[in-house]
């Protein structure tokens, strides 16, 4: 049984297995563009000879363009579910409590929309066999401008995700190390800030990893952490003294714009779906994979939202782990899982930047110099993100802003626009109307949600400075 489970979900050289929003697959997919001598079937690294005859070995954890697809239906579902479940699950009880229980229809509705757009991404890939990535679809639809816009939003989402993970780390780590007091006279930082700095410094070496197999292992750890958090919430409801049945309002229309961003972030993952599609043995079953995966995730989010909101009521935190009763074993496990999750994400999220950076380095540069430049720039970037996260520690607003500003575009607006452009002459009028309507809905959610989240974020920053 254990070996079968590992076969399904453990990172394999020939399949996609990542919980990260972007992760090692995206990086390796970028890498594969410049690699010619690869033997993925044999589990060997790709090799590239530069002008000086030097050979670089990089373990590739994603399907190469020319290798044989190996992912089964079950593996594809696990990959997609693992891709979707992540940081967003922490905020679903808070979103439900603030939006009212009727907002669950918005959560389910967005899930249906995103399942549909995941499916049409597969149809866009059917049109052009050479298209393997989200950026490829953008170029297929709108040329170089489409690729540029898709890439810009992808990296913007990565940036916001890293900031959100770091804020989550900062919020949870003082509870993990309750009672610890740190003070450095030459640094005007609180204990929480110092603990966050230490945790980020511990994670920094992962940015220097060049072996993508190691990064893929971090991805699998991220999946486990997400599942552990979900299980601990259920255990709190079942075995703690905190009773269910707290009042949840019916609907708060004024909170819906912010709530929609939180819900939207929870379904973000479309930039990696092309990679899942291209490694499937039977791509024709991608529709079933999408429907099955989003159904499972929607059920999980709905259950978690109702359980968390019913447990903690109006006192529920933007991260449900912060509302769990202190002292319980399940609380400690949940907090540790939440703290460890960002540590598993930094290398995964940074990988696309690292690959692009190496492509722009001189071919004559030695491997040690490449590692130093890659690691130094990655470390500097992460420290910059750390400083920003400590300066803007407002998890719910940053997450909502990310969902409204970036995730809606990547998961709803862009896929529909790509699909209409690529298959315009073969689509029926109802399909055209449907996709146009989804673009309009996505645009409204993006504008209203971004305005609301940005306003609340600015207000929180101003209040923080005044305090």
């Amino acid at each position: 049984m254990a070996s079968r489970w590992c076969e399904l979900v453990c990172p394999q050289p020939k399949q996609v297995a990542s919980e990260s929003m972007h992760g090692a697959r995206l990086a390796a997919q970028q890498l594969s563009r410049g690699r010619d001598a690869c033997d993925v079937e044999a589990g060997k690294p790709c090799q590239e000879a530069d002008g000086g005859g030097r050979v670089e070995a990089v373990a590739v954890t994603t399907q190469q363009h020319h290798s044989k697809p190996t992912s089964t239906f079950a593996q594809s579902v696990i990959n997609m579910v693992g891709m979707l479940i992540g940081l967003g699950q922490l905020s679903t009880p808070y979103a439900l409590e603030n939006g009212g229980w009727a907002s669950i229809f918005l959560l389910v509705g967005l899930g249906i929309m995103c399942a549909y757009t995941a499916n049409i991404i597969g149809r866009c890939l059917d049109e052009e066999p050479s298209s393997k990535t989200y950026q490829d679809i953008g170029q297929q639809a709108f040329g170089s401008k489409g690729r540029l816009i898709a890439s810009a939003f992808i990296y913007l989402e990565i940036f916001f995700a890293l900031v959100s993970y770091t804020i989550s780390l900062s919020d949870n780590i003082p509870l993990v190390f309750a009672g610890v007091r740190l003070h450095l006279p030459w640094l005007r930082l609180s204990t929480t800030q110092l603990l966050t700095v230490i945790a980020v410094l511990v994670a920094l070496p992962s940015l220097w990893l060049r072996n993508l197999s190691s990064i893929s292992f971090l991805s699998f750890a991220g999946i486990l952490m997400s599942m552990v958090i979900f299980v601990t919430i259920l255990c709190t409801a079942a075995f703690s003294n905190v009773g269910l049945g707290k009042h949840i309002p019916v609907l708060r229309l004024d909170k819906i714009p912010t709530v929609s961003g939180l819900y939207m972030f929870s379904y973000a993952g479309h930039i990696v779906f092309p990679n899942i599609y291209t490694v499937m043995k039977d791509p024709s079953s991608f529709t079933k994979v999408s429907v099955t995966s989003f159904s499972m995730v929607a059920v999980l989010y709905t259950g978690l939202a109702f359980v968390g909101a019913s447990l903690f009521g109006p006192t529920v935190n933007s991260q449900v782990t912060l509302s769990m009763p202190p002292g319980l074993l399940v609380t400690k496990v949940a907090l540790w899982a939440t703290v460890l999750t960002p540590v598993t994400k930094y290398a995964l999220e940074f990988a696309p930047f690292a690959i692009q950076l190496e492509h722009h380095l001189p071919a004559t540069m030695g491997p040690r110099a490449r590692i130093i430049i890659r690691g130094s720039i990655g470390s500097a970037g992460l420290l910059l993100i750390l400083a920003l996260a400590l300066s803007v520690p407002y998890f719910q607003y940053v997450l909502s802003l990310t969902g409204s500003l970036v995730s809606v575009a990547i998961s709803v607006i862009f896929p529909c626009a790509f699909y209409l452009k690529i298959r315009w002459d073969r689509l029926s009028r109802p399909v055209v109307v449907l996709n146009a309507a989804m673009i309009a809905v996505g645009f409204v959610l993006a504008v209203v949600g971004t305005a609301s989240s940005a306003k609340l974020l600015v207000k929180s920053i101003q209040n923080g400075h005044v305090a």
Side-chain angles (χ1 to χ4, degrees):
M1 182 67 181
S3 61
R4 176 58 180 165
W5 172 255
C6 189
E7 178 186 344
L8 288 174
V9 301
C10 289
Q12 302 291 333
K14 298 179 287 183
Q15 77 176 65
V16 181
S18 175
E19 184 277 340
S20 166
M21 206 177 312
H22 322 282
R25 290 188 309 272
L26 180 58
Q29 155 258 241
Q30 294 285 352
L31 186 66
S32 67
R33 293 178 178 274
R35 302 294 195 262
D36 294 321
C38 298
D39 190 1
V40 179
E41 290 296 324
K44 297 178 182 178
C46 288
Q47 296 185 333
E48 175 185 347
D50 59 33
R54 178 177 52 83
V55 175
E56 292 180 299
V58 181
V60 176
T61 59
T62 190
Q63 179 71 26
Q64 299 300 325
H65 293 186
H66 61 277
S67 57
K68 184 179 178 181
T70 61
S71 186
T72 65
F73 176 85
Q75 290 171 331
S76 299
V77 169
I78 291 174
N79 289 333
M80 189 173 286
V81 170
M83 173 69 230
L84 293 169
I85 299 175
L87 198 60
Q89 69 174 340
L90 297 178
S91 64
T92 50
Y94 172 86
L96 184 68
E97 166 60 30
N98 279 265
W101 63 260
S103 71
I104 205 69
F105 294 106
L106 177 62
L107 175 64
V108 175
L110 289 175
I112 294 173
M113 290 175 63
C114 289
Y116 172 76
T117 54
N119 177 54
I120 62 177
I121 282 177
R123 295 187 180 182
C124 290
L125 292 170
D126 280 339
E127 293 295 311
E128 181 55 60
S130 64
S131 292
K132 302 294 181 181
T133 70
Y134 194 92
Q135 295 99 315
D136 289 344
I137 299 174
Q139 182 161 0
Q140 181 184 347
F142 297 104
S144 58
K145 290 183 179 179
R147 173 178 287 276
L148 179 63
I149 293 174
S151 298
F153 271 80
I154 286 172
Y155 291 121
L156 189 61
E157 190 175 35
I158 292 174
F159 175 79
F160 275 112
L162 286 171
V163 173
S164 300
Y165 280 121
T166 307
I167 295 174
S168 175
L169 174 64
S170 179
D171 287 342
N172 286 273
I173 200 167
L175 299 180
V176 171
F177 296 99
V180 174
R181 296 291 180 269
L182 298 177
H183 174 69
L184 295 176
W186 42 276
L187 274 180
R188 299 179 60 182
L189 296 177
S190 66
T191 296
T192 296
Q193 291 173 327
L194 286 172
L195 287 171
T196 305
V197 170
I198 292 171
V200 170
L201 291 177
V202 169
L204 270 184
S206 66
L207 300 184
W208 293 67
L209 290 174
R210 197 139 193 285
N211 188 322
L212 294 182
S213 294
S214 300
I215 297 178
S216 187
F217 174 78
L218 292 176
S219 162
F220 181 59
I223 298 176
L224 290 180
M225 294 302 101
S226 296
M227 296 309 299
V228 165
I229 292 170
F230 177 69
V231 171
T232 56
I233 299 299
L234 295 182
C235 289
T236 301
F239 305 114
S240 73
N241 294 326
V242 182
L244 294 168
K246 303 296 190 304
H247 174 69
I248 304 174
V250 178
L251 183 64
R252 290 174 174 170
L253 283 175
D254 59 316
K255 299 290 184 67
I256 291 299
T258 304
V259 167
S260 67
L262 293 173
Y263 285 156
M264 194 68 244
F265 183 89
S266 301
Y267 290 118
H270 289 60
I271 63 172
V272 183
F273 292 167
N275 301 88
I276 295 178
Y277 177 90
T278 55
V279 299
M280 292 182 62
K281 285 182 178 179
D282 180 18
S284 64
S285 65
F286 186 73
T287 298
K288 294 181 180 179
V289 169
S290 301
V291 172
T292 303
S293 301
F294 275 91
S295 297
M296 293 171 64
V297 170
V299 169
L300 185 148
Y301 283 157
T302 300
L304 183 60
F306 272 110
V307 170
S310 182
L311 272 175
F312 307 115
T315 63
V316 67
N317 201 283
S318 59
Q319 299 175 72
V320 67
T321 51
L322 300 178
S323 299
M324 296 176 69
L328 295 181
L329 177 61
V330 290
T331 301
K332 295 179 180 178
V333 172
L335 290 172
W336 268 109
T338 308
V339 166
L340 290 175
T341 296
V343 177
T344 68
K345 294 296 187 292
Y346 290 132
L348 288 166
E349 300 288 352
F350 176 70
F353 291 107
I355 297 301
Q356 287 297 316
L357 173 63
E358 291 206 19
H359 283 338
H360 289 85
L361 294 178
T364 55
M365 183 175 290
R368 181 172 298 179
R370 287 174 175 268
I371 292 175
I372 291 175
I373 292 176
R374 169 195 173 115
S376 298
I377 293 179
S379 299
L382 184 54
L383 292 177
L384 176 63
I385 288 170
L386 170 63
L388 181 60
L390 294 179
S391 303
V392 190
Y394 307 106
F395 177 82
Q396 65 273 37
Y397 303 136
V398 173
L399 209 66
S400 179
L401 181 62
T402 306
S404 299
L405 179 63
V406 185
S407 300
V408 170
I410 290 178
S411 301
V412 177
I413 299 175
F414 289 172
C416 291
F418 295 161
Y419 187 57
L420 287 176
K421 183 66 168 63
I422 293 171
R423 303 190 61 173
W424 177 263
D425 57 343
R426 283 160 290 167
L427 296 178
S428 64
R429 179 169 295 182
V431 174
V432 171
V433 171
L434 173 63
N435 282 270
M438 288 180 61
I439 291 175
V441 171
F443 184 77
V444 171
L445 289 176
V447 172
V448 176
T450 298
S452 175
S453 302
K455 181 180 178 180
L456 292 171
L457 181 59
V458 170
K459 184 178 180 180
S460 298
I461 293 172
Q462 292 173 341
N463 293 339
H465 286 323
V466 171

